[in-house]
Amino acid sequence: MAVKRHPVAVAIAGDPLSRVPLDTELVERLRGTYEIVRGHDLRLAEVFYARLFSVAPHLRAMFPSDLKAQSAKLIAALDAVVRNFQDPHANIAALSDLGRRHAGYGVKPEHYQIVIDLLIESMREIGGAAIPESRLSEWRSALRLISDQMIAAASTR
Ligand code: HEM
């Protein structure tokens, strides 16, 4: 089986990873899964925040009161990541800025796992049988890489 590069993994020039071709089939699968969820407008974010504040009510005070606007921002950020899967350098720049801003909001590295878990649960709830577990696992890995890039940038503020 040929080795392929994950769309969220960044290859720096000269890095052996830069010679590994992008996994375009994975890009298509991740996009397809996201489109199913995105067909429900901001629902992913709305379900996610409802779950987050149910399991971790102490985090509510960190967020603005207007959850509609907050939901739109989260979805816009995910839209941009998906749009830029073919351009990981654009993603790393945006995710680094986002990660640095999150450190400013008081977000700690350990907060990311709960966010990943709840985003996946929310995708499962919205997509139902249309999204098999294998596709959710792919999104879990993508969100872990997205989070790792945000966390890495936050430590170099
Ligand atoms: C997949 C990872 C994440 C993404 C894509 C994401 C995305 C966003 C975006 C786009 C915003 C709008 C503000 C901005 O652009 O700076 C935001 C705000 C915020 N995020 Fe995240 N986020 C992620 C993870 C987290 C985690 C782990 C936490 C911890 C609980 C968190 C807490 C917050 C808070 C508190 C705000 C509100 C800041 C404010 O307006 O005062 N986020 N997030």
Side-chain angles (χ1 to χ4, degrees), residues 62-64 70 73 77 98 101-102 105 107 111-112 115 150:
M62 287 173 82
F63 288 84
Q70 179 66 28
K73 287 179 190 172
L98 189 60
R101 289 201 297 277
H102 274 67
Y105 304 147
V107 175
H111 287 136
Y112 283 85
V115 164
M150 290 173 67

Side-chain angles (χ1 to χ4, degrees), residues 58-117:
H58 60 285
L59 295 182
R60 180 64 184 93
M62 287 173 82
F63 288 84
S65 54
D66 183 356
L67 274 188
K68 186 90 186 165
Q70 179 66 28
S71 294
K73 287 179 190 172
L74 174 60
I75 294 298
L78 293 174
D79 285 355
V81 170
V82 171
R83 209 168 41 242
N84 285 327
F85 271 151
Q86 245 105 351
D87 183 5
H89 286 275
N91 266 336
I92 185 87
L95 291 172
S96 297
D97 287 345
L98 189 60
R100 282 188 282 267
R101 289 201 297 277
H102 274 67
Y105 304 147
V107 175
K108 304 279 177 245
E110 56 270 25
H111 287 136
Y112 283 85
Q113 192 56 51
I114 180 78
V115 164
I116 294 168
D117 289 346

